[in-house]
Amino acid sequence: MRRGRHLDCRSRLRSRSAVTASSGRDESAGRVGEGAAGQTDSLRDFLAAVDLFLATAPEAVAGVTDLAGLEQARIEFLGARSGQLKSIQKLLSGLVAADRAAAGRQFNEAKTEVTSLFAAAQERLAGGNDAISRPAADAIDVTVPGDPVLLGHIHPITQTIRQVQEIMARLGFESVDGPEVEDQWHNFEALAIPTAHPARDPLDNFYLAVARGADPLLLRSQTSTVQIRVMENRRPPLRIVSLGRVYRPDTADATHYPMFHQVEGLLIEHGTTMAHLKSVLRQLASSFLGGDVRVRFRPSFFPFTEPSVEFDMEWGGRWIEMGGAGMVDPAVLAAVGYDPDEVSGFAFGLGVERIAARRYGVADIRDFYRNDVRFLRQF
Ligand code: DAH
Protein backbone atom coordinates (compact mmCIF):
# COMPACT_ATOMS: atom_id res chain seq x y z
CA MET A 1 0.00 0.00 0.00
CA ARG A 2 2.59 2.50 1.06
CA ARG A 3 4.77 1.69 -1.82
CA GLY A 4 1.90 2.27 -4.20
CA ARG A 5 1.19 5.70 -2.77
CA HIS A 6 4.80 6.56 -3.15
CA LEU A 7 4.79 5.63 -6.84
CA ASP A 8 1.72 7.76 -7.45
CA CYS A 9 3.45 10.68 -5.97
CA ARG A 10 6.51 10.13 -8.04
CA SER A 11 4.60 9.98 -11.28
CA ARG A 12 2.90 13.25 -10.50
CA LEU A 13 6.28 14.72 -9.94
CA ARG A 14 7.56 13.44 -13.27
CA SER A 15 4.81 14.94 -15.30
CA ARG A 16 5.17 18.28 -13.55
CA SER A 17 8.88 18.42 -14.14
CA ALA A 18 8.30 17.71 -17.82
CA VAL A 19 5.97 20.68 -18.08
CA THR A 20 8.49 22.89 -16.39
CA ALA A 21 11.26 21.75 -18.66
CA SER A 22 9.34 22.64 -21.77
CA SER A 23 7.91 25.93 -20.49
CA GLY A 24 11.33 27.55 -20.38
CA ARG A 25 10.21 29.71 -17.40
CA ASP A 26 12.59 28.11 -14.92
CA GLU A 27 15.84 29.92 -14.07
CA SER A 28 18.09 27.04 -15.06
CA ALA A 29 16.15 26.64 -18.27
CA GLY A 30 17.61 29.98 -19.14
CA ARG A 31 20.96 28.30 -19.65
CA VAL A 32 20.61 27.42 -23.25
CA GLY A 33 21.02 23.84 -24.29
CA GLU A 34 21.80 22.61 -20.76
CA GLY A 35 18.56 23.42 -19.00
CA ALA A 36 16.19 20.60 -19.86
CA ALA A 37 18.80 17.86 -19.99
CA GLY A 38 20.39 18.98 -16.61
CA GLN A 39 17.02 18.95 -14.87
CA THR A 40 16.13 15.58 -16.16
CA ASP A 41 19.39 14.09 -15.00
CA SER A 42 19.27 15.55 -11.52
CA LEU A 43 15.64 14.61 -11.15
CA ARG A 44 16.38 11.11 -12.32
CA ASP A 45 19.23 10.79 -9.85
CA PHE A 46 17.03 12.08 -7.07
CA LEU A 47 14.19 9.65 -7.87
CA ALA A 48 16.56 6.74 -8.17
CA ALA A 49 18.13 7.57 -4.84
CA VAL A 50 14.72 7.79 -3.15
CA ASP A 51 13.76 4.49 -4.71
CA LEU A 52 16.85 2.79 -3.50
CA PHE A 53 16.47 4.31 -0.06
CA LEU A 54 12.92 3.02 0.28
CA ALA A 55 13.78 -0.38 -1.10
CA THR A 56 16.83 -1.10 1.01
CA ALA A 57 15.81 0.37 4.37
CA PRO A 58 13.18 -2.29 5.23
CA GLU A 59 15.65 -5.07 4.46
CA ALA A 60 18.35 -3.47 6.54
CA VAL A 61 15.98 -3.00 9.47
CA ALA A 62 14.68 -6.53 9.22
CA GLY A 63 18.26 -7.85 9.28
CA VAL A 64 19.30 -6.31 12.61
CA THR A 65 19.09 -8.43 15.76
CA ASP A 66 20.00 -6.00 18.52
CA LEU A 67 19.88 -2.31 19.43
CA ALA A 68 23.54 -1.72 18.57
CA GLY A 69 23.01 -3.09 15.06
CA LEU A 70 19.89 -1.01 14.68
CA GLU A 71 21.77 2.14 15.64
CA GLN A 72 24.41 1.37 13.06
CA ALA A 73 21.74 0.95 10.36
CA ARG A 74 20.03 4.12 11.50
CA ILE A 75 23.24 6.08 11.06
CA GLU A 76 23.67 4.59 7.59
CA PHE A 77 20.17 5.55 6.49
CA LEU A 78 19.13 8.53 8.58
CA GLY A 79 22.44 9.81 10.00
CA ALA A 80 22.52 13.61 10.00
CA ARG A 81 26.10 13.84 8.73
CA SER A 82 26.55 11.32 5.99
CA GLY A 83 23.53 9.03 5.93
CA GLN A 84 21.68 8.16 2.74
CA LEU A 85 18.91 10.59 3.53
CA LYS A 86 21.47 13.37 3.78
CA SER A 87 22.77 12.51 0.28
CA ILE A 88 19.22 12.56 -1.06
CA GLN A 89 18.72 15.96 0.54
CA LYS A 90 21.75 17.21 -1.33
CA LEU A 91 20.27 15.92 -4.59
CA LEU A 92 17.01 17.66 -3.69
CA SER A 93 18.73 20.99 -3.34
CA GLY A 94 20.28 20.53 -6.78
CA LEU A 95 16.85 20.38 -8.45
CA VAL A 96 15.36 23.25 -10.36
CA ALA A 97 12.92 25.36 -8.39
CA ALA A 98 9.86 24.06 -10.26
CA ASP A 99 10.59 20.46 -9.25
CA ARG A 100 11.65 21.18 -5.73
CA ALA A 101 8.23 21.53 -4.08
CA ALA A 102 6.91 18.17 -5.22
CA ALA A 103 10.30 16.52 -4.76
CA GLY A 104 10.45 17.98 -1.25
CA ARG A 105 7.12 16.38 -0.40
CA GLN A 106 8.37 13.07 -1.70
CA PHE A 107 11.56 13.47 0.29
CA ASN A 108 9.53 14.09 3.44
CA GLU A 109 7.33 11.08 2.85
CA ALA A 110 10.33 8.83 2.39
CA LYS A 111 11.94 10.25 5.49
CA THR A 112 8.77 9.69 7.58
CA GLU A 113 8.35 6.17 6.28
CA VAL A 114 11.89 5.08 7.07
CA THR A 115 11.96 6.91 10.40
CA SER A 116 8.86 5.07 11.56
CA LEU A 117 10.38 1.82 10.34
CA PHE A 118 13.32 2.41 12.66
CA ALA A 119 11.07 3.50 15.53
CA ALA A 120 9.05 0.29 15.27
CA ALA A 121 12.22 -1.81 15.20
CA GLN A 122 13.59 0.07 18.20
CA GLU A 123 10.44 -0.68 20.17
CA ARG A 124 10.53 -4.32 19.17
CA LEU A 125 14.17 -4.82 20.14
CA ALA A 126 13.97 -2.84 23.41
CA GLY A 127 10.82 -4.74 24.41
CA GLY A 128 12.61 -7.99 23.73
CA ASN A 129 15.50 -7.10 26.02
CA ASP A 130 13.07 -6.06 28.71
CA ALA A 131 11.30 -9.34 28.59
CA ILE A 132 14.58 -11.14 29.23
CA SER A 133 15.83 -8.99 32.12
CA ARG A 134 12.55 -8.40 33.96
CA PRO A 135 10.67 -11.10 35.83
CA ALA A 136 7.20 -11.92 34.63
CA ALA A 137 4.43 -9.78 36.12
CA ASP A 138 3.06 -12.67 38.13
CA ALA A 139 6.48 -13.26 39.72
CA ILE A 140 6.10 -10.00 41.76
CA ASP A 141 4.75 -10.66 45.25
CA VAL A 142 2.39 -7.76 45.92
CA THR A 143 1.85 -8.88 49.52
CA VAL A 144 5.45 -8.11 50.60
CA PRO A 145 5.34 -5.06 52.95
CA GLY A 146 6.80 -1.86 51.46
CA ASP A 147 9.87 -0.04 52.75
CA PRO A 148 8.80 2.06 55.75
CA VAL A 149 8.90 5.82 55.19
CA LEU A 150 10.93 7.36 58.02
CA LEU A 151 9.23 10.37 59.57
CA GLY A 152 11.03 12.85 61.80
CA HIS A 153 9.47 14.10 65.01
CA ILE A 154 9.75 16.87 67.56
CA HIS A 155 13.02 17.03 69.54
CA PRO A 156 12.61 15.83 73.17
CA ILE A 157 13.58 19.25 74.54
CA THR A 158 10.95 20.95 72.38
CA GLN A 159 8.44 18.27 73.40
CA THR A 160 9.21 19.05 77.05
CA ILE A 161 8.87 22.79 76.46
CA ARG A 162 5.49 22.35 74.80
CA GLN A 163 4.30 20.05 77.53
CA VAL A 164 5.25 22.49 80.29
CA GLN A 165 3.59 25.33 78.37
CA GLU A 166 0.46 23.23 78.06
CA ILE A 167 0.37 22.34 81.77
CA MET A 168 0.96 25.95 82.77
CA ALA A 169 -1.70 27.16 80.33
CA ARG A 170 -4.23 25.00 82.18
CA LEU A 171 -3.28 26.91 85.34
CA GLY A 172 -3.86 30.21 83.52
CA PHE A 173 -0.22 31.05 82.71
CA GLU A 174 0.31 32.68 79.31
CA SER A 175 3.46 31.73 77.34
CA VAL A 176 5.68 34.68 76.47
CA ASP A 177 9.12 35.13 74.87
CA GLY A 178 12.00 37.49 75.42
CA PRO A 179 15.23 38.32 73.54
CA GLU A 180 18.36 36.17 73.93
CA VAL A 181 20.67 39.17 73.63
CA GLU A 182 20.12 41.24 76.74
CA ASP A 183 21.25 44.45 78.42
CA GLN A 184 22.52 44.96 81.96
CA TRP A 185 19.20 46.28 83.22
CA HIS A 186 17.06 43.28 82.29
CA ASN A 187 19.63 40.56 83.00
CA PHE A 188 20.93 42.03 86.28
CA GLU A 189 19.99 45.45 87.64
CA ALA A 190 16.20 45.25 87.64
CA LEU A 191 16.60 41.81 89.23
CA ALA A 192 18.51 43.42 92.13
CA ILE A 193 21.88 42.08 91.01
CA PRO A 194 24.17 45.12 91.53
CA THR A 195 27.34 45.93 89.59
CA ALA A 196 29.70 44.31 92.09
CA HIS A 197 27.72 41.06 92.24
CA PRO A 198 29.80 37.98 91.28
CA ALA A 199 26.99 36.81 88.93
CA ARG A 200 28.03 39.64 86.60
CA ASP A 201 31.64 38.45 86.36
CA PRO A 202 32.82 38.41 82.74
CA LEU A 203 34.10 34.88 83.29
CA ASP A 204 30.58 33.72 84.14
CA ASN A 205 28.80 35.34 81.21
CA PHE A 206 28.94 35.60 77.45
CA TYR A 207 29.43 39.35 77.00
CA LEU A 208 29.26 40.45 73.39
CA ALA A 209 31.94 42.44 71.60
CA VAL A 210 29.24 44.97 70.67
CA ALA A 211 27.61 47.24 73.24
CA ARG A 212 24.65 49.60 73.29
CA GLY A 213 26.45 52.85 74.11
CA ALA A 214 28.23 52.30 77.43
CA ASP A 215 25.94 49.37 78.27
CA PRO A 216 27.57 46.01 77.55
CA LEU A 217 25.26 43.43 75.96
CA LEU A 218 25.36 39.74 76.75
CA LEU A 219 23.65 36.47 75.91
CA ARG A 220 21.06 36.21 78.70
CA SER A 221 22.21 34.00 81.56
CA GLN A 222 18.68 33.40 82.87
CA THR A 223 15.07 33.70 81.72
CA SER A 224 14.25 35.87 84.76
CA THR A 225 14.88 38.74 82.31
CA VAL A 226 11.42 38.04 80.85
CA GLN A 227 9.75 38.77 84.21
CA ILE A 228 11.13 42.31 83.99
CA ARG A 229 10.20 42.81 80.34
CA VAL A 230 6.61 41.73 80.95
CA MET A 231 6.13 43.71 84.16
CA GLU A 232 7.52 46.86 82.49
CA ASN A 233 4.80 46.65 79.86
CA ARG A 234 1.77 45.33 81.73
CA ARG A 235 -0.17 45.89 84.91
CA PRO A 236 -1.13 43.14 87.39
CA PRO A 237 -2.73 40.68 87.64
CA LEU A 238 -0.20 38.64 85.68
CA ARG A 239 0.40 34.93 85.12
CA ILE A 240 3.15 34.24 82.61
CA VAL A 241 5.55 31.44 81.81
CA SER A 242 8.58 31.79 79.54
CA LEU A 243 10.66 28.92 78.17
CA GLY A 244 13.81 29.58 76.23
CA ARG A 245 17.58 29.33 75.81
CA VAL A 246 20.09 30.75 78.27
CA TYR A 247 23.89 30.85 78.02
CA ARG A 248 26.69 30.38 80.54
CA PRO A 249 30.37 29.60 79.90
CA ASP A 250 30.22 26.22 81.65
CA THR A 251 32.38 23.32 80.54
CA ALA A 252 30.13 20.71 78.97
CA ASP A 253 29.70 17.56 81.07
CA ALA A 254 26.87 15.17 81.90
CA THR A 255 24.86 17.88 83.70
CA HIS A 256 26.17 21.14 82.17
CA TYR A 257 26.16 22.69 78.73
CA PRO A 258 27.07 26.27 77.72
CA MET A 259 23.55 26.65 76.30
CA PHE A 260 20.50 25.24 78.01
CA HIS A 261 16.82 25.98 78.50
CA GLN A 262 14.94 27.39 81.45
CA VAL A 263 11.29 27.60 82.49
CA GLU A 264 10.46 30.89 84.14
CA GLY A 265 7.14 31.38 85.91
CA LEU A 266 5.72 34.60 87.34
CA LEU A 267 2.45 35.30 89.07
CA ILE A 268 1.52 38.76 90.35
CA GLU A 269 -1.85 38.90 92.04
CA HIS A 270 -3.35 40.44 95.12
CA GLY A 271 -2.84 38.27 98.20
CA THR A 272 -0.38 35.77 96.74
CA THR A 273 1.49 33.57 99.24
CA MET A 274 4.17 30.87 99.30
CA ALA A 275 1.33 28.35 99.59
CA HIS A 276 0.13 29.33 96.10
CA LEU A 277 3.65 28.91 94.81
CA LYS A 278 3.91 25.43 96.28
CA SER A 279 0.52 24.42 94.85
CA VAL A 280 1.49 25.54 91.35
CA LEU A 281 4.84 23.71 91.50
CA ARG A 282 3.15 20.58 92.80
CA GLN A 283 0.60 20.71 89.97
CA LEU A 284 3.38 21.19 87.42
CA ALA A 285 5.42 18.29 88.84
CA SER A 286 2.45 15.93 89.06
CA SER A 287 1.21 16.69 85.54
CA PHE A 288 4.66 16.46 84.02
CA LEU A 289 5.96 13.38 85.80
CA GLY A 290 2.62 11.65 86.35
CA GLY A 291 0.97 10.64 89.63
CA ASP A 292 0.92 12.77 92.76
CA VAL A 293 4.44 14.18 93.08
CA ARG A 294 5.34 15.81 96.36
CA VAL A 295 7.31 19.06 96.43
CA ARG A 296 9.43 20.44 99.24
CA PHE A 297 11.06 23.83 99.86
CA ARG A 298 14.55 24.46 101.26
CA PRO A 299 15.58 27.95 102.37
CA SER A 300 17.93 29.60 99.88
CA PHE A 301 18.90 32.96 98.47
CA PHE A 302 18.25 34.74 95.17
CA PRO A 303 18.69 38.52 94.81
CA PHE A 304 15.25 38.93 93.20
CA THR A 305 13.10 36.93 95.66
CA GLU A 306 12.44 37.33 99.37
CA PRO A 307 12.04 34.83 100.89
CA SER A 308 13.84 32.51 98.47
CA VAL A 309 13.73 28.73 98.27
CA GLU A 310 15.08 25.87 96.30
CA PHE A 311 12.48 23.25 95.55
CA ASP A 312 12.84 19.50 95.24
CA MET A 313 10.44 16.90 93.86
CA GLU A 314 10.11 13.36 95.12
CA TRP A 315 10.90 11.04 92.25
CA GLY A 316 11.54 7.31 92.46
CA GLY A 317 11.77 7.42 96.29
CA ARG A 318 14.38 10.20 96.21
CA TRP A 319 14.25 13.97 96.54
CA ILE A 320 15.51 15.59 93.36
CA GLU A 321 16.60 19.22 93.21
CA MET A 322 14.54 20.99 90.54
CA GLY A 323 14.98 24.77 90.68
CA GLY A 324 14.71 28.06 92.54
CA ALA A 325 11.71 30.13 93.56
CA GLY A 326 10.40 32.70 95.99
CA MET A 327 8.21 35.73 96.53
CA VAL A 328 9.15 38.54 94.16
CA ASP A 329 11.43 40.96 96.03
CA PRO A 330 9.82 44.41 96.67
CA ALA A 331 12.94 45.98 95.06
CA VAL A 332 12.10 44.19 91.81
CA LEU A 333 8.46 45.31 91.94
CA ALA A 334 9.63 48.90 92.52
CA ALA A 335 12.14 48.65 89.64
CA VAL A 336 9.33 48.00 87.17
CA GLY A 337 7.08 50.72 88.63
CA TYR A 338 4.74 48.57 90.73
CA ASP A 339 3.82 49.55 94.28
CA PRO A 340 5.24 46.82 96.59
CA ASP A 341 2.67 47.77 99.21
CA GLU A 342 -0.14 46.97 96.82
CA VAL A 343 0.98 43.96 94.81
CA SER A 344 2.88 40.79 95.51
CA GLY A 345 3.65 37.65 93.63
CA PHE A 346 5.88 34.67 93.23
CA ALA A 347 8.44 33.56 90.67
CA PHE A 348 10.19 30.31 89.93
CA GLY A 349 12.80 28.98 87.55
CA LEU A 350 13.95 25.51 86.57
CA GLY A 351 16.06 23.82 83.94
CA VAL A 352 14.29 22.15 81.02
CA GLU A 353 17.14 19.70 80.35
CA ARG A 354 17.13 18.65 83.97
CA ILE A 355 13.42 17.80 84.08
CA ALA A 356 13.58 16.16 80.63
CA ALA A 357 16.55 14.03 81.74
CA ARG A 358 14.70 12.98 84.90
CA ARG A 359 11.56 12.10 83.10
CA TYR A 360 13.18 10.15 80.27
CA GLY A 361 15.99 8.62 82.32
CA VAL A 362 18.76 10.34 80.33
CA ALA A 363 22.08 10.25 82.20
CA ASP A 364 23.99 12.76 80.05
CA ILE A 365 22.33 15.97 78.82
CA ARG A 366 24.89 16.24 76.01
CA ASP A 367 22.96 13.44 74.31
CA PHE A 368 20.16 15.94 73.66
CA TYR A 369 22.49 17.93 71.40
CA ARG A 370 24.55 15.26 69.66
CA ASN A 371 21.87 14.89 67.00
CA ASP A 372 22.30 11.16 66.91
CA VAL A 373 19.01 9.90 65.49
CA ARG A 374 19.43 6.55 67.26
CA PHE A 375 19.11 8.48 70.54
CA LEU A 376 16.47 10.99 69.38
CA ARG A 377 14.26 8.32 67.82
CA GLN A 378 13.45 6.97 71.30
CA PHE A 379 11.30 9.94 72.36
N1 DAH B 1 17.16 32.66 87.49
C1 DAH B 1 17.59 31.65 88.40
C2 DAH B 1 18.78 30.92 87.83
O1 DAH B 1 19.13 31.15 86.73
C3 DAH B 1 16.48 30.69 88.68
C4 DAH B 1 15.39 31.30 89.47
C5 DAH B 1 15.44 31.30 90.87
C6 DAH B 1 14.34 31.93 88.83
C7 DAH B 1 14.44 31.89 91.58
C8 DAH B 1 13.34 32.53 89.56
C9 DAH B 1 13.41 32.51 90.96
O2 DAH B 1 12.31 33.14 89.00
O3 DAH B 1 12.40 33.09 91.67
O4 DAH B 1 19.35 30.10 88.47
Side-chain angles (χ1 to χ4, degrees):
M1 271 306 274
R2 266 196 197 156
R3 190 102 179 99
R5 248 197 352 253
H6 160 69
L7 285 172
D8 282 356
C9 169
R10 198 174 55 157
S11 57
R12 268 203 314 279
L13 178 62
R14 269 204 187 110
S15 58
R16 252 187 74 181
S17 83
V19 171
T20 312
S22 59
S23 73
R25 273 185 284 110
D26 193 84
E27 298 165 37
S28 54
R31 278 178 267 144
V32 182
E34 257 180 38
Q39 281 168 28
T40 310
D41 280 353
S42 22
L43 192 58
R44 199 182 305 121
D45 290 349
F46 171 78
L47 292 168
V50 171
D51 246 358
L52 189 68
F53 181 67
L54 287 166
T56 52
E59 285 165 29
V61 170
V64 299
T65 51
D66 56 14
L67 287 169
L70 184 70
E71 178 59 8
Q72 226 173 338
R74 193 196 61 78
I75 292 167
E76 190 188 316
F77 282 86
L78 301 171
R81 288 235 184 103
S82 55
Q84 284 190 30
L85 192 70
K86 185 71 191 169
S87 315
I88 297 171
Q89 197 178 11
K90 279 184 196 145
L91 294 174
L92 174 66
S93 58
L95 296 181
V96 294
D99 287 341
R100 228 177 279 148
R105 270 195 299 279
Q106 196 175 337
F107 173 85
N108 284 336
E109 278 182 16
K111 179 181 173 178
T112 308
E113 187 172 325
V114 173
T115 305
S116 53
L117 215 58
F118 273 92
Q122 163 93 25
E123 218 167 281
R124 173 171 52 84
L125 292 172
N129 281 352
D130 239 27
I132 293 162
S133 59
R134 230 199 268 154
D138 60 5
I140 295 171
D141 182 355
V142 295
T143 64
V144 172
D147 288 337
V149 177
L150 293 180
L151 282 184
H153 64 77
I154 308 286
H155 190 279
I157 292 297
T158 308
Q159 285 185 39
T160 306
I161 287 174
R162 293 191 183 170
Q163 217 166 347
V164 171
Q165 283 172 329
E166 209 257 329
I167 294 166
M168 295 306 291
R170 279 189 259 142
L171 299 174
F173 287 73
E174 175 197 348
S175 260
V176 293
D177 265 337
E180 288 179 23
V181 172
E182 266 299 5
D183 51 34
Q184 300 296 298
W185 171 256
H186 292 97
N187 202 86
F188 299 124
E189 270 147 42
L191 289 162
I193 305 173
T195 315
H197 198 282
R200 294 175 72 157
D201 194 307
L203 292 177
D204 290 332
N205 293 283
F206 284 113
Y207 283 97
L208 303 186
V210 290
R212 189 181 295 145
D215 187 23
L217 296 174
L218 76 162
L219 296 179
R220 69 179 177 192
S221 61
Q222 51 182 345
T223 46
S224 303
T225 53
V226 186
Q227 294 182 26
I228 304 301
R229 289 195 171 270
V230 171
M231 287 192 287
E232 279 174 336
N233 290 310
R234 299 200 206 166
R235 306 302 304 167
L238 279 180
R239 285 187 194 194
I240 57 112
V241 67
S242 186
L243 288 95
R245 281 184 278 266
V246 298
Y247 303 84
R248 293 178 194 177
D250 289 330
T251 304
D253 61 26
T255 53
H256 295 85
Y257 208 72
M259 181 283 302
F260 60 101
H261 297 75
Q262 282 189 334
V263 185
E264 188 80 19
L266 174 73
L267 179 146
I268 306 283
E269 270 169 38
H270 190 70
T272 310
T273 69
M274 292 284 276
H276 296 123
L277 169 62
K278 200 170 199 177
S279 296
V280 167
L281 291 174
R282 186 170 181 170
Q283 275 294 329
L284 172 59
S286 301
S287 303
F288 183 74
L289 297 170
D292 186 13
V293 179
R294 288 202 299 156
V295 167
R296 81 175 175 196
F297 284 165
R298 281 178 292 113
S300 186
F301 173 80
F302 296 100
F304 36 87
T305 43
E306 181 58 38
S308 302
V309 293
E310 278 177 78
F311 60 98
D312 307 328
M313 296 175 186
E314 197 180 17
W315 178 243
R318 283 171 52 210
W319 286 100
I320 312 284
E321 200 184 304
M322 298 307 286
M327 300 304 290
V328 179
D329 194 294
V332 173
L333 296 172
V336 296
Y338 289 0
D339 181 353
D341 292 332
E342 295 227 325
V343 293
S344 60
F346 65 71
F348 64 89
L350 65 157
V352 174
E353 280 77 356
R354 182 179 287 188
I355 59 171
R358 289 276 169 251
R359 171 158 178 190
Y360 297 123
V362 172
D364 189 332
I365 67 161
R366 288 171 293 188
D367 285 334
F368 286 127
Y369 303 115
R370 285 198 176 105
N371 274 342
D372 184 333
V373 287
R374 291 169 304 175
F375 170 80
L376 295 174
R377 205 177 275 151
Q378 305 174 88
F379 303 97

